[in-house]
Amino acid sequence: DSNRNVQFDNQPYLGYITENEPKGTPVQQLEELQDNISTLPYGCTMDISGDDALAFELKYAVNGDFALLAKSSFDREFVETYYLLLLVDCPTGTAQTMIRVHVLDVNDNVPKLTQSVYTATISIQDSLEPTLDLHIQGTDPDKSDSLQYILEEDSEFFDLDPDTGVFSLKDPAIKLQAKTFTLRAHAVDQVGHVSAHADIFIEAPTEPIPEEIGKSRMRRATRTERTYAVRQDKEGQLFS
């Protein structure tokens, strides 16, 4: 019907394309727009415009067949959404509508640690226990990609929380060793991409262990032994 009005039912129309797909890949989920275009009168022409128009190719036939094709592969980390203006010129009038194309993510990037070198010093706080304040972090351009943290080799003295990147001491007696500990850590994404390593340098206290710390430890150990002895004595009385 050449007298039909030229109009679009929905604005904007939303389409999707996955990053790294080859040239000529059609934008997906534009069926509603296709249905709308199929009702246009005979003899229409159309074009796309906008800053992002050069990234796409429009295919339209007089029988109503319509496709929006990629002119090259896309990188979501470079551009996540493209905005196009579809212009239609028919014998009965003109119309336009917006098309928004979202680029879907593919996990194709290697994570990175925020630093190539991390340093920390084991300190002795008021609690008289050695503490370590060390936290490594990583980034990944891929969308919604959670990272895990690993040590290149297991450590006798340190633990690395794989979810948080926080280091902790395995053995409080580490403060007795005045030395520098050297470790290597990596970030790993969900598909197994491994970051370049970061060097971890941890300094143990160089000062002699304060006398009151040694005495405090001895007192705690003595109390523990006494408590255990009393408990054993009571259990012996109960079952004798």
Side-chain angles (χ1 to χ4, degrees), residues 7 19 52 75 90 92 103 205 209 231:
Q7 62 182 16
E19 68 172 334
D52 298 326
D75 184 352
C90 297
T92 56
V103 181
I209 184 170
R231 187 169 63 246

Side-chain angles (χ1 to χ4, degrees), residues 86-144:
L86 178 65
L87 307 172
V88 177
D89 186 2
C90 297
T92 56
T94 61
Q96 64 183 33
T97 188
M98 179 70 70
I99 303 174
R100 193 161 65 219
V101 181
H102 295 294
V103 181
L104 301 180
D105 188 43
V106 171
N107 195 331
D108 58 347
N109 289 280
V110 176
K112 296 180 180 179
L113 289 167
T114 56
Q115 298 174 213
S116 60
V117 176
Y118 293 83
T119 60
T121 300
I122 299 167
S123 59
I124 299 172
Q125 305 295 337
D126 295 338
S127 63
L128 305 182
E129 290 292 343
T131 59
L132 175 61
D133 184 12
L134 178 57
H135 178 203
I136 64 173
Q137 289 182 300
T139 60
D140 193 327
D142 291 313
K143 193 173 183 178
S144 303

Side-chain angles (χ1 to χ4, degrees), residues 13-148:
Y13 292 89
L14 303 181
Y16 302 88
I17 192 165
T18 303
E19 68 172 334
N20 302 332
E21 291 293 324
K23 175 182 178 181
T25 299
V27 175
Q28 302 298 311
Q29 298 188 13
L30 288 178
E31 291 84 358
E32 188 175 1
L33 177 58
Q34 169 69 71
D35 292 342
N36 206 161
I37 288 175
S38 67
T39 65
L40 293 176
Y42 183 82
C44 297
T45 60
M46 60 182 62
D47 195 8
I48 52 174
S49 67
D51 293 340
D52 298 326
L54 294 178
F56 297 90
E57 180 182 4
L58 181 65
K59 294 289 186 180
Y60 175 66
V62 292
N63 63 0
D65 288 343
F66 167 86
L68 188 62
L69 309 177
K71 280 190 175 180
S72 62
S73 62
F74 296 113
D75 184 352
R76 188 203 64 84
E77 287 73 42
F78 183 66
V79 178
E80 188 169 359
T81 305
Y82 291 86
Y83 300 89
L84 309 173
L85 187 64
L86 178 65
L87 307 172
V88 177
D89 186 2
C90 297
T92 56
T94 61
Q96 64 183 33
T97 188
M98 179 70 70
I99 303 174
R100 193 161 65 219
V101 181
H102 295 294
V103 181
L104 301 180
D105 188 43
V106 171
N107 195 331
D108 58 347
N109 289 280
V110 176
K112 296 180 180 179
L113 289 167
T114 56
Q115 298 174 213
S116 60
V117 176
Y118 293 83
T119 60
T121 300
I122 299 167
S123 59
I124 299 172
Q125 305 295 337
D126 295 338
S127 63
L128 305 182
E129 290 292 343
T131 59
L132 175 61
D133 184 12
L134 178 57
H135 178 203
I136 64 173
Q137 289 182 300
T139 60
D140 193 327
D142 291 313
K143 193 173 183 178
S144 303
D145 196 9
S146 60
L147 300 179
Q148 295 270 295

